[in-house]
Amino acid sequence: AAGAPAHFVSFASFDAAWSAFEAKFRDGGALRASDVPWPLGLATVSGVVAADAPKVRKKKLRAAVLRWHPDKWGPVLERIPLEERGDVALRVQDVARRIIDERK
């Protein structure tokens, strides 16, 4: 059984976990829902902070949209066990909604 998902203390720690997840994806093989670095405990999914200039904010939000857009997750979902795919797809949609809220 998988452990509880990590709660990240900073966007930098989440981003590092995301890089590790991408490397695992590139290596091939099966993935589990627990392998996905869910952005729990973060103030924003995109890493945007109040001090960001408009251009920086836009760049961070765009990167987050590309990372979490449900249409981009097809290849990942194919490698997730069937019994976990529905939950992962719903969680990805929840994260994508958070990003949309951050854009407002």
Side-chain angles (χ1 to χ4, degrees):
H7 284 260
F8 297 99
V9 295
S10 69
F11 186 78
S13 63
F14 165 73
D15 211 34
W18 184 267
S19 293
F21 172 70
E22 286 181 320
K24 184 170 185 165
F25 178 78
R26 282 192 305 272
D27 288 344
L31 296 169
R32 307 278 321 193
S34 59
D35 293 326
V36 179
W38 301 105
L40 303 173
L42 297 175
T44 65
V45 176
S46 62
V48 168
V49 294
D52 286 341
K55 271 188 164 179
V56 172
R57 177 181 170 81
K58 185 176 180 179
K59 182 179 178 183
K60 287 180 178 181
L61 285 165
R62 184 177 189 285
V65 166
L66 291 174
R67 179 180 281 181
W68 289 103
H69 194 286
D71 291 348
K72 301 276 187 190
W73 277 74
V76 175
L77 290 174
E78 289 174 7
R79 304 227 321 253
I80 299 278
L82 195 54
E83 65 273 11
E84 295 181 8
R85 282 183 197 164
D87 180 55
V88 170
L90 287 174
R91 291 175 77 183
V92 168
Q93 289 173 356
D94 288 344
V95 173
R97 277 192 283 279
R98 277 186 61 193
I99 297 165
I100 291 168
D101 289 344
E102 289 175 24
R103 294 170 77 177
K104 295 178 182 174

